[in-house]
């Protein structure tokens, strides 16, 4: 009996001893240098705004993102180097194309049935006394809103359709033809369809958004199908094509086919060949701080990021119902290091004076130990467009 108890005590001790020696991989808990902040703090919202502005500015394609809410935030204060923030942001696609370079305040989230939503992770460096704002790295994952859910809420709303379908191309071509016919001199060619929706309005109707390029000829010239391959898109058009009902349907007054179009031209275009793009050289000047990475900066010191587009969650349901956690539905990987003790990131190029400037970067924190005030309040509260 006594021996048994002794044995039990021994195994207990052995297990405890065995468990404690391997040091915990990350210094979590009170020893973590990452301080959780409230997701509704005004300072945090400002940092999130800067980060998203920089993410938008880094894109060559797609639509600008707006902040729906701050999901999580940690600050790593590094003495005279300022801070490195680890941000997790819930975002919504807006109606502004990134090439439009519009101000964030002029962009609106899309109507719910066209929503594209998701999550971004970003590492953002701020050194206030030195007036440095720098997006060190980011990654985002976006998905369109559930087609099934939106259809349930609004069966008659337009629904997304493949941008490469022939009807979509026809709608884009016909609406652009209408625009060109009213354009006094310059003619435009279709560059790329960026959005397409369809709806039944007495017949099939198509709504399209597409980028246009300038055609290398004017209206008076006969053939205008040539594209100068190196030119940039100059504007974004919204067009629609409403077809009448099929001829076989009796008793219905045949609707006239109707075509609509509106185009918006991007503000800053490099019109002079060989000249530097004014959009690139001007934007940092407009801001009081150095908040963009100089394009000449060596990319090895700071990997930037990308935006990943995944399909509607419904499409993945069968394989995903195998007990994956909700966090997996918007997988965003952002690790500049896997070393639990951290690594250094050379940011000397951000500072004017000579000498090395290094930031400590840690693996991106998980949701443990986040502030009780996170996630913050959402601007658009519809759960269909909020990442879990
Ligand atoms: C967030 O902050 C704003 C302004 O400070 C405040 O009016 C609002 O009530 C806060 N919301 C929440 C959910 O804490
Ligand atoms: C960003 O995501 C991509 C996959 O989409 C991944 O390959 C890359 O390593 C990520 N970047 C960082 C810094 O983790």
């Amino acid at each position: 009996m006594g021996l048994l108890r002794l044995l039990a005590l021994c195994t207990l001790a052995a297990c405890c001893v065995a468990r404690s020696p391997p040091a915990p991989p990350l210094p979590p808990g009170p020893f973590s240098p990452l301080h959780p902040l409230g997701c509704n703090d005004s300072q945090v919202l400002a940092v999130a705004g800067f980060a998203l502005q920089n993410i938008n500015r880094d894109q060559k394609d797609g639509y600008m993102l707006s902040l729906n809410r701050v999901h999580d935030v940690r600050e790593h204060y590094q003495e005279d180097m300022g801070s490195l923030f680890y941000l997790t942001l819930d975002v919504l696609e807006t109606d502004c194309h990134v090439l439009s370079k519009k101000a964030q305040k002029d962009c609106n989230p899309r109507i719910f049935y066209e929503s594209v939503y998701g999550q971004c992770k970003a590492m953002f460096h701020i050194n206030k006394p030195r007036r440095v704002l720098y997006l060190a790295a980011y990654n985002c994952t976006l998905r369109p809103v559930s087609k099934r859910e939106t259809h349930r809420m609004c069966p008659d709303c337009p629904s997304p359709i493949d941008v490469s379908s022939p009807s979509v191309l026809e709608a884009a071509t016909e609406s652009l033809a209408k625009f060109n016919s009213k354009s006094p001199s310059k003619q435009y060619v279709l560059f790329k369809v960026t959005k397409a929706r369809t709806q039944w309005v007495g017949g099939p109707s198509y709504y399209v958004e597409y980028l246009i390029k300038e055609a290398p000829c004017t209206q008076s010239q006969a053939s205008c199908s040539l594209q100068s391959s190196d030119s940039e898109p100059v504007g974004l058009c919204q067009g629609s094509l409403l077809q009448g009902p099929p001829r076989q349907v009796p008793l219905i007054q045949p609707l006239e086919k109707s075509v609509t179009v509106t185009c918006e031209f991007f503000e800053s275009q490099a019109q002079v060949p060989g000249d530097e793009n004014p959009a690139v050289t001007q934007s940092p000047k407009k801001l009081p701080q150095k908040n963009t990475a100089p394009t000449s900066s060596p990319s090895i010191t700071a990997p930037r990021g990308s935006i990943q587009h995944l399909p509607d969650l419904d499409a993945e349901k069968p394989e995903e119902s195998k007990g994956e956690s909700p966090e997996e539905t918007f997988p965003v990987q952002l690790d500049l290091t896997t070393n639990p003790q951290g690594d250094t990131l050379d940011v000397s190029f951000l500072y004017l004076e000579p000498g090395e400037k290094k930031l400590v970067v840690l693996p991106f924190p998980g949701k443990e130990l986040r502030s009780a005030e996170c996630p913050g309040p959402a601007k658009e509260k519809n759960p269909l467009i909020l990442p879990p």
Side-chain angles (χ1 to χ4, degrees), residues 94-358:
T94 68
D95 54 359
C96 294
H97 198 275
V98 293
L99 295 176
S100 72
K101 309 262 188 239
K102 279 197 195 170
Q104 191 74 50
K105 64 173 168 51
D106 299 326
C107 304
N108 302 301
R110 290 178 172 270
I111 192 161
F112 83 95
Y113 56 79
E114 307 178 345
S115 294
V116 174
Y117 71 112
Q119 203 161 70
C120 293
K121 286 182 180 170
M123 293 183 201
F124 199 77
H125 170 45
I126 296 193
N127 193 341
K128 256 192 216 152
R130 314 300 297 278
R131 301 168 73 81
V132 169
L133 296 173
Y134 175 62
L135 177 67
Y138 71 91
N139 254 345
C140 306
T141 297
L142 305 179
R143 289 185 190 271
V145 66
S146 158
K147 209 166 163 176
R148 194 171 56 203
E149 295 295 328
T150 50
H151 184 75
R152 183 149 59 198
M153 288 169 72
C154 176
D156 297 327
C157 283
S159 58
I161 172 177
D162 187 354
V163 291
S164 57
S165 93
S167 311
V168 165
L169 205 61
E170 187 191 351
T173 311
E174 293 219 14
S175 70
L176 183 54
K178 181 167 181 174
F179 186 80
N180 276 334
S181 72
K182 290 184 178 164
S183 173
S185 58
K186 279 186 178 164
Q187 297 288 286
Y188 300 91
V189 290
L190 179 64
F191 176 64
K192 182 180 169 187
V193 178
T194 53
K195 293 269 176 198
R197 302 175 287 283
T198 181
Q199 186 181 26
W200 190 267
V201 193
S205 60
Y206 298 93
Y207 305 91
V208 289
E209 270 177 51
Y210 51 91
L211 293 166
I212 52 170
K213 278 183 168 186
E214 257 175 49
C217 47
T218 55
Q219 203 181 26
S220 50
Q221 291 169 285
S223 159
C224 231
S225 56
L226 291 161
Q227 276 189 44
S228 52
S229 53
D230 54 344
S231 67
E232 289 296 305
V234 293
L236 184 74
C237 298
Q238 299 195 329
S240 70
L241 172 63
L242 274 71
Q243 232 115 42
R247 292 212 175 272
Q248 302 91 313
V249 180
L251 306 175
I252 295 177
Q253 190 72 32
L255 279 168
E256 287 267 317
K257 180 163 104 174
S258 99
V259 177
T260 66
V261 65
T262 56
C263 294
E264 194 172 4
F265 288 86
F266 302 147
E267 239 168 57
S268 40
Q269 294 298 325
Q271 298 293 10
V272 189
D275 211 21
E276 260 190 298
N277 187 347
V280 173
T281 45
Q282 272 168 22
S283 50
K285 257 186 256 160
K286 274 190 248 164
L287 296 142
Q289 304 94 342
K290 276 209 297 189
N291 70 343
T292 37
T295 38
S296 56
S297 70
S299 56
I300 14 150
T301 55
R304 301 304 294 268
S306 63
I307 296 180
Q308 175 183 215
H309 288 262
L310 295 182
D312 182 347
L313 268 176
D314 299 339
E316 288 186 2
K317 271 288 152 59
E319 34 176 324
E320 263 195 345
S321 52
K322 290 178 244 159
E324 261 194 274
S325 68
E327 285 73 31
E328 305 296 310
T329 55
F330 285 89
V332 186
Q333 190 206 336
L334 189 63
D335 277 314
L336 296 184
T337 178
T338 49
N339 178 358
Q341 308 307 319
D343 269 324
T344 56
L345 181 68
D346 190 337
V347 288
S348 310
F349 64 92
L350 292 170
Y351 292 81
L352 294 171
E353 73 267 34
E356 285 210 316
K357 299 281 178 203
K358 288 188 171 178

Side-chain angles (χ1 to χ4, degrees), residues 40-42 45 373 375-377:
N40 195 30
D41 293 1
S42 58
L45 293 173
E373 284 162 56

